[in-house]
Amino acid sequence: MSIDKQTLQKIAHLARLEMKEEDTDKMLNDMNQMLAFVEKLKEVDTTGVEPLVTMSHEINALREDENKPHLNREKALANAPKKDAQYFRVPKVLE
Amino acid sequence: MLKAYATFAQIQHDLHSKKITCTALVKHYLANIESKKHLNVFLSVYADEALARAAVIDEKINRGNAGKLAGLVVGLKDVLCYENHPLQASSKILDGFVSQFNATAVQRLLDADAIIIGRQNCDEFAMGSSNENSAFGPTLNDIDNTRVPGGSSGGSAVAVMADMCQVSLGSDTGGSVRQPAAFCGIVGLKPTYSRISRHGLIAYGSSFDCIGIFSKNIEDAALVLEVIAGADEYDSTVSQTPVPAFSSLLSAASEKKYRIAYMRDTLQSPALQPEIKTAIEKSLDQLKLDGHSVAGIEFPLNEYVLPTYYILATAEASSNLSRYDGVRYGYRSPNTTDLESMYKKTRAEGFGKEVQRRILLGTYVLSASYYDAYYNQAQKVRRLIREKLKELLKEYDFIITPTTPTTAFKLGEHSTNPVEMYLADLFSVQANVAGLPAISLPLGTDKIGLPMGVQVMADDFEETKLFHFSKQLMNLA
């Protein structure tokens, strides 16, 4: 399986990455090399094999539901590129 | 001027017998960092702070109430949170980010009176095998400055190699501690998946990510693991399994003989540098002479390990890295017009090329039409790989392979085709796919003097046994 420019643009949109026209050929080439590399997995017969969905050895590590704020507002906002006293600021979404 | 200490035990001995002080020790490392600035190892050096802390700990030593790691000077890969210190996974997208809390592993080091000396260069978001994918430029190998130190924790490996700190903490998702340890001639440990809390570790592939330890010897790795491992209320994935007293268990002499398997196909791989093959074979012969049983085994799934890894790790990365959107922290593109262009331009300008490639591949393999063919299939193969390895580890105590197919390669040597670079993790990635503990140990040098490494893999939570055997193996060489 290989991907074309249109598919690449679609994935880039899903991943919220701007893909400049001049970068697409190189990226397409790299992506197809990576895909050809992982394609090999299709050779493996996995009939009847359940997917391994977690690597954790723990099953339901439960704890009391106590209110323990981890970061206060000031700290949570400390790294924001744009903020006011209470909120993160982003470009206007609704007119 | 102090000498380079081979072990932390010697440091502690000299501290307690007043031959040296923590202050002198920190000055010694700072001088090494300064004189080897060209290697581009540290992104930040906390000189004043480390000296101030050294004075406090010297005082504690005098009073006799110093912690277990008093005098241990540690460097942190740029993926571990250290409160009120910069952190950016060597990426432009985290420009200006300052940690608001301590990673659990870092907190435990500090609680035991370790001294943090700085933040170390790495591949961006721990994606790479050469440290060349850093927004801060590559780290150079101290043995040959035209060569890479390995990656992604390249800076952390060189720091220990060049005596800029006694120990480094790195992270190992597909070999990122063991591979650079091999390229730099030091010890690199990736413990069992979930052995160490990942609270405060920047996430890449969460079903693979492990904090790992770089050291000059087994004892130091055992001691640090004992301090940082174990249950943590901030990480629901961390193992609740009690942490053995690795260091005291290790100090009890053990001449136990083990059942050792080596993977024939890894030694016959055409990608393997001949000197590494010879060195591993020599070790296996010595182990036999020493009374261990040594058997060659086949592992036909080997050729599927890297593809499994690249599907699952990129899928997880595409999800984990969605949080870098220019809203809550780090870089935001100044060229934006609306919310969507803010996301897209911020991410396109902030992430380097390899990170973008992996996000795109991950997004693709998770997309509705291809999910079964790639992601689901990879999860199934992952189960087969893990089960087969677990089966082998019932029969054998350890599985030995080379850590890497070659010694340190030249800067720029694998930059044209991303897949070529991936092959540097050919042997190390198995342990991450299966979640098993593995260690890379120095194994002499090749004919031009570059370090080689041997990897030993054990069953889940068998670190005690792994340390014992590693010591025996290092004493052979």
Side-chain angles (χ1 to χ4, degrees):
Chain A
M1 212 175 301
S2 71
I3 55 174
D4 54 22
K5 268 191 185 180
Q6 205 191 343
T7 315
L8 180 63
Q9 283 297 349
K10 197 182 141 203
I11 307 165
H13 169 71
L14 290 173
R16 296 296 184 271
L17 280 170
E18 184 179 69
M19 183 66 56
K20 292 212 177 85
E21 188 53 40
E22 67 260 33
D23 295 333
T24 33
D25 285 343
K26 166 91 173 95
M27 189 55 92
L28 203 56
N29 184 43
D30 289 351
M31 290 280 293
N32 279 323
Q33 276 174 341
M34 289 162 80
L35 274 174
F37 178 65
V38 299
E39 206 71 16
K40 204 169 170 48
L41 276 197
K42 298 202 168 142
E43 295 170 9
V44 187
D45 181 4
T46 54
T47 322
V49 180
E50 280 298 305
L52 184 56
V53 296
T54 175
M55 295 302 287
S56 174
H57 300 269
E58 301 305 313
I59 301 161
N60 295 341
L62 299 173
R63 58 164 171 75
E64 289 304 311
D65 188 18
E66 293 166 60
N67 180 12
K68 281 196 243 173
H70 185 42
L71 282 185
N72 61 32
R73 192 196 300 261
E74 191 192 341
K75 283 186 167 217
L77 286 171
N79 284 304
K82 202 168 174 213
K83 64 190 168 194
D84 57 26
Q86 297 179 55
Y87 298 107
F88 299 109
R89 298 300 301 256
V90 295
K92 210 175 216 174
V93 181
L94 294 172
E95 288 304 323
Chain B
M1 201 64 188
L2 296 178
K3 59 177 178 161
Y5 279 94
T7 69
F8 177 59
Q10 288 165 4
I11 292 177
Q12 282 213 313
H13 176 269
D14 285 0
L15 282 170
H16 289 291
S17 60
K18 312 281 183 235
K19 268 174 79 180
I20 57 164
T21 60
C22 291
T23 305
L25 202 56
V26 169
K27 282 184 179 161
H28 160 78
Y29 294 124
L30 289 173
N32 284 349
I33 291 172
E34 185 55 36
S35 73
K36 297 209 164 169
K37 253 187 158 159
H38 63 283
L39 299 177
N40 199 20
V41 168
F42 280 88
L43 303 178
S44 307
V45 181
Y46 310 133
D48 294 344
E49 223 179 300
L51 285 168
R53 200 168 147 77
V56 171
I57 292 165
D58 279 331
E59 198 44 48
K60 280 189 172 184
I61 292 172
N62 286 337
R63 285 199 308 264
N65 64 347
K68 208 175 190 173
L69 299 185
L72 187 72
V73 177
V74 182
L76 301 176
K77 182 180 182 181
D78 191 23
V79 290
L80 283 158
C81 291
Y82 180 22
E83 192 175 0
N84 297 326
H85 294 78
L87 177 71
Q88 59 184 105
S90 292
S91 178
K92 185 182 166 187
I93 209 158
L94 277 172
D95 260 354
F97 184 88
V98 175
S99 290
Q100 301 299 305
F101 58 89
N102 281 327
T104 298
V106 173
Q107 186 63 53
R108 289 180 183 173
L109 289 177
L110 294 170
D111 290 345
D113 285 340
I115 297 168
I116 313 270
I117 199 159
R119 164 175 79 110
Q120 296 157 334
N121 202 355
C122 59
D123 282 301
E124 185 180 4
F125 283 101
M127 297 179 189
S129 307
S130 66
N131 215 116
E132 291 168 294
N133 299 332
S134 164
F136 300 96
T139 295
L140 311 180
N141 196 310
D142 192 32
I143 285 191
D144 175 348
N145 294 174
T146 67
R147 290 177 189 272
V148 304
S152 65
S153 318
S156 308
V158 178
V160 172
M161 169 195 211
D163 202 36
M164 299 169 169
C165 52
Q166 182 69 14
V167 161
S168 296
L169 290 194
S171 64
D172 190 316
T173 305
S176 283
V177 166
R178 289 158 290 148
Q179 187 255 17
F183 279 11
C184 294
I186 58 172
V187 173
L189 169 73
K190 179 204 97 72
T192 308
Y193 179 78
S194 79
R195 182 69 290 189
I196 302 172
S197 165
R198 296 176 298 177
H199 174 62
L201 169 70
I202 291 185
Y204 157 23
S206 303
S207 76
F208 301 88
D209 292 343
C210 270
I211 291 175
I213 300 163
F214 290 96
S215 61
K216 299 174 187 171
N217 58 75
I218 306 301
E219 286 81 356
D220 290 6
L223 180 64
V224 170
L225 182 65
E226 163 183 320
V227 170
I228 66 177
D232 172 26
E233 62 171 339
Y234 288 118
D235 181 355
S236 63
T237 65
V238 75
S239 172
Q240 306 294 313
T241 308
V243 180
F246 296 119
S247 56
S248 53
L249 288 169
L250 185 60
S251 61
S254 167
E255 290 307 315
K256 196 171 157 24
K257 304 304 172 197
Y258 295 104
R259 300 159 302 165
I260 294 146
Y262 66 93
M263 287 185 179
R264 271 197 210 101
D265 54 320
T266 64
L267 289 186
Q268 279 150 13
S269 166
L272 186 64
Q273 190 175 321
E275 295 123 295
I276 299 180
K277 181 179 187 213
T278 310
I280 300 265
E281 284 172 343
K282 203 177 132 209
S283 289
L284 292 170
D285 287 344
Q286 282 173 307
L287 286 169
K288 262 185 248 172
L289 287 175
D290 219 36
H292 302 277
S293 78
V294 177
I297 53 164
E298 304 297 332
F299 191 65
L301 287 169
N302 252 339
E303 54 181 332
Y304 304 110
V305 176
L306 263 179
T308 300
Y309 171 76
Y310 273 96
I311 289 175
L312 298 176
T314 57
E316 294 178 21
S318 75
S319 165
N320 272 325
L321 272 60
S322 64
R323 58 171 62 92
Y324 305 103
D325 56 6
V327 177
R328 288 156 295 170
Y329 27 69
Y331 173 78
R332 179 186 291 190
S333 169
N335 314 311
T336 61
T337 49
D338 56 15
L339 190 65
E340 187 172 295
S341 79
M342 185 195 82
Y343 292 148
K344 287 187 172 176
K345 285 182 192 293
T346 294
R347 289 164 62 80
E349 292 163 20
F351 288 134
K353 282 288 172 272
E354 178 63 18
V355 174
Q356 295 195 32
R357 275 195 287 268
R358 294 198 195 188
I359 290 175
L360 289 168
L361 184 68
T363 307
Y364 181 73
V365 300
L366 284 176
S367 63
S369 335
Y370 302 103
Y371 182 91
D372 278 336
Y374 292 108
Y375 188 71
N376 209 28
Q377 173 72 353
Q379 285 190 318
K380 290 176 180 176
V381 179
R382 187 178 202 181
R383 180 179 295 278
L384 293 176
I385 292 166
R386 175 162 160 86
E387 282 176 356
K388 184 70 195 159
L389 284 171
K390 292 282 290 178
E391 229 169 78
L392 285 167
L393 287 164
K394 280 199 191 106
E395 212 173 317
Y396 302 98
D397 295 297
F398 305 107
I399 298 171
I400 287 187
T401 64
T403 307
T404 57
T406 67
T407 51
F409 45 87
K410 294 257 185 191
L411 288 153
E413 195 176 322
H414 295 314
S415 303
T416 43
N417 178 350
V419 173
E420 251 180 52
M421 185 71 86
Y422 299 168
L423 295 176
D425 294 326
L426 187 60
F427 305 133
S428 56
V429 83
Q430 215 174 54
N432 304 81
V433 168
L436 299 166
I439 196 167
S440 178
L441 308 170
L443 187 70
T445 54
D446 69 5
K447 57 175 181 267
I448 57 168
L450 299 172
M452 306 186 287
V454 55
Q455 174 178 251
V456 187
M457 188 161 65
D459 205 350
D460 294 324
F461 301 106
E462 292 282 20
E463 279 87 357
T464 305
K465 204 164 89 175
L466 185 60
F467 286 139
H468 267 123
F469 177 65
S470 296
K471 227 171 114 175
Q472 292 193 29
L473 189 53
M474 277 183 74
N475 289 338
L476 288 181

